[in-house]
Amino acid sequence: MVARYERIADELRDEILSGGHPVGSQLPSEAELAGRFSAARGTVRQAVAVLATEGLVGSRQGARRIVLGRTRSQSFAELHSFAQWARANGYRYGGRVIAQRRRPASGSELARLGSGEVLEVLRLRSLEDEPVLLERTVYAGWVAAAVESLPADCGSVTEALYESVGLVFAYGEHLIDAVPAGAEDARLLGVRRGSPLLRQRRVTTTHEGRPVESSDDRYRAGSVAFSIRNSIGANPLVREPGDLRFER
């Protein structure tokens, strides 16, 4: 099920892209949008924040948002939601848990997540029926039970956690580099051992800054590409589809 704030964001996005809110104009206030959609102001705020991270509206707080453009992109700040990105671009997507277990946190995990016990999940993602992404995610202990309750083939962990416990992944720190595929990576992604993989390491938190997860995500070469669009006010990093025609 799509979260309420995402449905509101979808409608506002369509209006911006169709010219209903011209570039340079102001969006209605949070109060006006809350009345229009019969939604809480917090829900509206989350919806508008999605548009801000996509670069469609300004991100300035305490004022009406200004429409910045009419080009749709997927924010890097939301890369934890693989399903949302795939669905927005019209791709078939899937995912399945390969393994998961609770264990004591390592020293670095304790520092990042502030949790003595963590839940480690290995999840394989597919796009257009091809394996493209291997996620090694470590969840803080306070959210472990909610993650464990999700089905192994859960399409969107982000949406499922929002629906089940109201959790919103709000902020992220990301590091991107390239690594060679190890034996497990090669087997699950269907590539040769030593093949280059695009790795994204991230730590995400709630709006309040509470750590939720730390993840090591490895993308099969050619599955996606990343691009950066810079401006004086914001520097969103966005993902674009790569060539999905793999050679075996």
Side-chain angles (χ1 to χ4, degrees), residues 47-123:
V48 176
V50 170
L51 303 181
T53 58
E54 292 177 358
L56 293 177
V57 300
S59 58
R60 181 182 176 186
Q61 300 296 324
R64 293 194 182 197
R65 304 297 184 108
I66 303 296
V67 178
L68 298 180
R70 295 172 57 184
T71 301
R72 180 175 181 171
S73 62
Q74 174 64 32
S75 166
F76 183 67
E78 295 188 350
L79 280 180
H80 51 77
S81 183
F82 179 82
Q84 291 172 332
W85 172 79
R87 184 173 60 235
N89 285 275
Y91 295 118
R92 295 191 309 276
Y93 61 90
R96 62 186 175 94
V97 172
I98 305 299
Q100 70 177 27
R101 65 184 178 114
R102 292 206 192 200
R103 59 169 174 78
S106 67
S108 60
E109 290 166 346
L110 179 60
R112 286 193 298 267
L113 300 175
S115 178
E117 182 184 64
V118 296
L119 175 67
E120 181 182 54
V121 180
L122 176 63
R123 184 179 289 109

Side-chain angles (χ1 to χ4, degrees), residues 137-160:
T137 308
V138 178
Y139 295 93
W142 66 271
V143 76
V147 176
E148 287 173 325
S149 69
L150 302 179
D153 61 349
C154 179
S156 173
V157 174
T158 301
E159 293 176 359

Side-chain angles (χ1 to χ4, degrees), residues 123-180:
R123 184 179 289 109
L124 180 65
R125 298 288 191 179
S126 64
L127 200 63
E128 297 295 313
D129 301 321
E130 293 281 355
V132 298
L133 168 61
L134 198 57
E135 299 173 336
R136 291 181 174 89
T137 308
V138 178
Y139 295 93
W142 66 271
V143 76
V147 176
E148 287 173 325
S149 69
L150 302 179
D153 61 349
C154 179
S156 173
V157 174
T158 301
E159 293 176 359
L161 290 178
Y162 177 80
E163 292 294 331
S164 62
V165 297
L167 176 62
V168 175
F169 293 82
Y171 304 106
E173 295 184 4
H174 309 264
L175 178 64
I176 297 176
D177 59 5
V179 295

